[in-house]
Amino acid sequence: TQLLEQSPQFLSIQEGENLTVYCNSSSVFSSLQWYRQEPGEGPVLLVTVVTGGEVKKLKRLTFQFGDARKDSSLHITAAQPGDTGLYLCAGAKGNQGGKLIFGQGTELSVKP
Amino acid sequence: KAGVTQTPRYLIKTRGQQVTLSCSPISGHRSVSWYQQTPGQGLQFLFEYFSETQRNKGNFPGRFSGRQFSNSRSEMNVSTLELGDSALYLCASSHGHTQYFGPGTRLTVL
């Protein structure tokens, strides 16, 4: 059973376009993290959100945690080829911060 | 601070053999978690160690085991390797809510 549904799985866009990746669940998470992973490397943390309704901005990336802490989104404005990679959302439940539940990932390709 | 380090980066083994992977967490981090990443299943939690004790365990067979030392360094062991164990094994150390991942060990079982 996949507790975190991430969509879309694949996204191919042109440089300059905007995009949104969604991460949904029927479960409540105490925190949610977004990572970006390059082939053959470990995931690199982008952001951690812990408060329902929280919005965090990181340059052209905007992260939102749902009010009920069951869903999250990642919005990228004016995508660049350097944004290409695998984006992963991961949630932690209760005090189990050391056990992350991952979504399936979104493979993003930004063409120049 | 130095990041999470994992050794070796690449490993090739044959079916039936066993393997030990090593992870050094970020200095000051006491929690170390292990994950298996495959194209079909994505990232799946194996286990977490905190202060030398296993705190959480995922749904993997007993062939997968781990331990943590007093300096927080951790090892995971896979015995009687199967072809399906081929994967990227990732270690993460955490402080509070956030986990920081190492570069992973790519294990290929022939």
Side-chain angles (χ1 to χ4, degrees):
Chain A
T1 304
Q2 187 67 39
L3 291 180
L4 264 176
E5 297 290 337
Q6 194 172 335
S7 63
Q9 275 190 271
F10 302 95
L11 200 49
S12 181
I13 60 173
Q14 293 294 129
E15 182 176 2
E17 292 183 12
N18 301 332
L19 67 114
T20 303
V21 178
Y22 299 94
C23 192
N24 296 302
S25 175
S26 57
S27 299
V28 175
F29 291 98
S30 59
S31 67
L32 200 133
Q33 293 159 45
W34 285 91
Y35 294 87
R36 178 166 161 262
Q37 186 178 23
E38 304 269 0
E41 297 294 328
V44 174
L45 178 73
L46 296 173
V47 79
T48 300
V49 285
V50 297
T51 305
E54 184 176 4
V55 177
K56 280 192 174 178
K57 293 193 175 186
L58 214 68
K59 297 183 181 177
R60 293 177 294 102
L61 278 59
T62 302
F63 304 86
Q64 190 161 7
F65 200 14
D67 291 340
R69 291 186 288 133
K70 293 182 179 181
D71 54 85
S72 181
S73 64
L74 156 61
H75 182 78
I76 301 179
T77 304
Q80 299 175 0
D83 295 327
T84 294
L86 178 67
Y87 288 81
L88 295 156
C89 65
K93 294 184 155 214
N95 60 356
Q96 298 188 336
K99 177 182 177 180
L100 288 178
I101 298 164
F102 278 84
Q104 308 97 312
T106 295
E107 192 73 57
L108 173 65
S109 173
V110 183
K111 300 186 187 325
Chain B
K1 275 186 181 176
V4 178
T5 58
Q6 291 187 246
T7 56
R9 290 294 310 273
Y10 304 92
L11 209 45
I12 299 175
K13 293 284 187 179
T14 56
R15 277 181 301 174
Q17 287 187 307
Q18 75 162 16
V19 67
T20 299
L21 312 181
S22 182
C23 171
S24 291
I26 292 171
S27 177
H29 288 191
R30 293 163 64 190
S31 168
V32 173
S33 300
W34 289 89
Y35 295 83
Q36 181 196 66
Q37 186 175 28
T38 59
Q41 299 297 317
L43 268 143
Q44 293 188 288
F45 173 77
L46 280 157
F47 29 66
E48 179 205 6
Y49 285 87
F50 182 85
S51 294
E52 302 178 65
T53 301
Q54 190 180 83
R55 188 158 72 169
N56 278 301
K57 189 177 187 307
N59 296 324
F60 278 82
R63 300 186 297 108
F64 292 82
S65 63
R67 59 178 176 168
Q68 187 179 32
F69 302 95
S70 58
N71 61 359
S72 293
R73 190 178 70 84
S74 178
E75 289 181 347
M76 70 162 278
N77 184 276
V78 189
S79 62
T80 321
L81 284 165
E82 300 177 358
L83 295 178
D85 296 333
S86 293
L88 182 67
Y89 288 88
L90 293 159
C91 162
S93 72
S94 59
H95 181 71
H97 294 284
T98 302
Q99 290 197 7
Y100 300 89
F101 284 83
T105 295
R106 170 71 62 186
L107 172 65
T108 302
V109 182
L110 303 175

